[in-house]
Structure formats: C-alpha cells, structure tokens
Amino acid sequence: MKIFAVLLQIQELFNGEFNWRGLLLLLLFVLMGLIAVGLTVFASYKVFQPKSKNKKDV
C-alpha cells in the first residue's frame, strides 16, 4: 500500500502534510472507485433482472 500511495503522490497526506495535488489525486481515486462499484452493481442488477414477457418492453 505504501508503494501505491507514493505512486499517487498522496503519501504526504497520510503523513499529515497538506497539499492540493495529493488531495485532488485522492479524491479522483475515490471517485473512480465509486464509479467502478456503481457500474458493477448496475451490471449485476441488469443481469439478474427477470426477463420481460412482453416484446414491447425490450
């Protein structure tokens, strides 16, 4: 995890030093994670949704 934090330049935030670049990268990383989780939930919902009997609902 330390190497990953260094690659994202957010290690300073974990050390208690504030910088805008690290904060923006951390927020971007969290946003990408939320999008990935949201798309996974949406795709799994669509896969397990019951099939429509009416042809017009396709």
Side-chain angles (χ1 to χ4, degrees), residues 25-37:
L25 286 172
L26 182 63
L27 289 175
L28 181 64
F29 181 67
V30 169
L31 181 64
M32 289 189 316
L34 289 174
I35 289 172
V37 169

Side-chain angles (χ1 to χ4, degrees), residues 32-46:
M32 289 189 316
L34 289 174
I35 289 172
V37 169
L39 286 175
T40 303
V41 168
F42 177 73
S44 62
Y45 168 75
K46 288 301 236 182

